[in-house]
Amino acid sequence: MKFTGVLATAICAFVSVTASPIHRREVPQEHSHDIIVNQIRPILQVNSNTLPDPIFALLGNAAASKAIADNKTKQTDPDCLQQNIADQSITNCKSGKITNLSQADCIAVAIKYRALERNSGSVGATSGICKTAPVNDELKTITQHQDPASDNALTVNGDVEVAVAKALVALGLSADAAASGALETATFGPGQKGDPTAQGLSCDNGAGGKFGDSIVADADGVDPITNFAFKKGDQIDCITDADVKNGKSKRVPAKSRAELIAAVGGAAAGGNGNVAAGGQQNGDGGNAATSGNTATGAIDFTAIADLLKQAIALLEPQTN
């Protein structure tokens, strides 16, 4: 299946200015992956089924519960709000009412959103897992990333990233494209337990506006972790900005690209691997979110570099 190359343009054109208001919190985890949040928002708005804005599902349970009450949402469990939003979005994707995205592109956004880390209130704490099965099969293996400082986080988050990659392959993405999508959902390096700010290594640039806390890229760039390419002036989120600038609030995936590709039984795709904002593929590499050139049987130096970066990040002293 070949994915359309207009994903970012279509999503941005479809964003409604009538989204629910977003309230800033001390713990900014919810805005770190604004690119994905901003992609799913217009999909949900086709028929929200009383669900609140997607940002609220990434907040702690108290704020999520308030949003559920304010919207008179039918499903009241805050631990299931993220899954319910992803589930309803996939239902919307299948409704035939979204004409500016392919069904597979649309569902891929919901899968990635479902895997994002939620606020847990303190560094090292975990967020609750929804105990209700989703309506749509595409979500049955997907849960959210957990705080990387929590117990067993490397294993838990690695399993999440593998599950996302497998779900994206099932939609028709190549193994390499699916790995990029899974890496996009990855969270930060572990913060220091007991951090009084509860912020850990999460990021929030405070820009505000309809793109939440996203920022405008000041130059053309490529995210070295996800291979996500963007142009000067594009809206990017703070975790992508940190990836590019090697900041402390960057993604530290639990699985490398090579491990994810191996987990789905594939080899890296060909083509130039340029991924434009929102997952748009430039060149002849094929699917959306495809990354670089790794020939079958070749040494994957990019994956080795990824592993070294992760190891170095884990050894760095955590000061906040």
Side-chain angles (χ1 to χ4, degrees):
M1 182 187 300
K2 184 151 181 159
F3 279 54
T4 60
V6 294
L7 179 58
T9 302
I11 288 174
C12 291
F14 198 57
V15 172
S16 168
V17 296
T18 60
S20 301
I22 296 172
H23 303 286
R24 192 173 308 286
R25 300 177 68 246
E26 180 183 15
V27 185
Q29 177 71 49
E30 67 271 12
H31 281 301
S32 58
H33 293 74
D34 261 349
I35 289 173
I36 295 173
V37 174
N38 293 329
Q39 288 173 351
I40 199 169
R41 181 174 289 116
I43 297 171
L44 178 67
Q45 287 175 345
V46 168
N47 175 14
S48 71
N49 195 22
T50 74
L51 290 161
D53 188 274
I55 202 69
F56 289 104
L58 304 182
L59 295 164
N61 279 1
S65 293
K66 185 178 186 305
I68 287 170
D70 290 347
N71 284 267
K72 297 181 172 58
T73 301
K74 298 171 185 176
Q75 304 93 348
T76 59
D77 185 351
D79 284 337
C80 291
L81 182 57
Q82 183 179 14
Q83 176 178 287
N84 291 337
I85 287 173
D87 220 358
Q88 181 62 42
S89 296
I90 291 178
T91 296
N92 292 348
C93 293
K94 296 176 179 179
S95 69
K97 295 179 181 179
I98 297 175
T99 58
N100 58 342
L101 297 174
S102 73
Q103 187 175 114
D105 283 341
C106 190
I107 294 172
V109 171
I111 289 170
K112 291 189 292 183
Y113 169 80
R114 175 65 186 97
L116 298 180
E117 183 188 349
R118 293 172 55 205
N119 277 324
S120 56
S122 64
V123 176
T126 57
S127 57
I129 300 295
C130 180
K131 295 180 173 61
T132 303
V135 172
N136 290 283
D137 289 345
E138 292 88 349
L139 294 176
K140 286 188 175 177
T141 62
I142 312 297
T143 58
Q144 71 269 20
H145 279 77
Q146 295 292 349
D147 187 309
S150 62
D151 295 342
N152 207 31
L154 190 63
T155 297
V156 170
N157 290 343
D159 289 345
V160 171
E161 289 161 20
V162 168
V164 170
K166 288 182 176 179
L168 295 179
V169 163
L171 290 176
L173 274 73
S174 69
D176 203 44
S180 284
L183 291 169
E184 190 179 355
T185 71
T187 193
F188 309 93
Q192 182 66 47
K193 288 185 178 181
D195 177 357
T197 70
Q199 185 171 340
L201 297 182
S202 59
C203 63
D204 182 11
N205 77 309
K210 73 175 182 178
F211 281 89
D213 287 332
S214 298
I215 60 177
V216 176
D218 53 13
D220 294 357
V222 177
D223 188 313
I225 296 172
T226 67
N227 280 8
F228 175 95
F230 52 86
K231 299 292 186 182
K232 180 179 180 179
D234 284 347
Q235 294 280 353
I236 59 173
D237 48 34
C238 59
I239 198 167
T240 300
D241 188 55
D243 287 351
V244 172
K245 297 176 180 176
N246 198 31
K248 67 177 183 178
S249 300
K250 64 185 176 182
R251 267 173 274 248
V252 181
K255 294 288 185 182
S256 69
R257 178 178 297 278
E259 288 173 319
L260 291 169
I261 290 171
V264 298
N272 66 9
N274 264 340
V275 187
Q280 179 179 340
Q281 171 70 24
N282 293 328
D284 57 2
N287 295 327
T290 301
S291 63
N293 297 322
T294 305
T296 303
I299 297 173
D300 191 343
F301 290 105
T302 300
I304 293 171
D306 286 345
L307 288 172
L308 288 173
K309 287 178 182 177
Q310 292 175 49
I312 292 169
L314 290 172
L315 290 172
E316 288 176 346
Q318 308 298 329
T319 57
N320 64 346

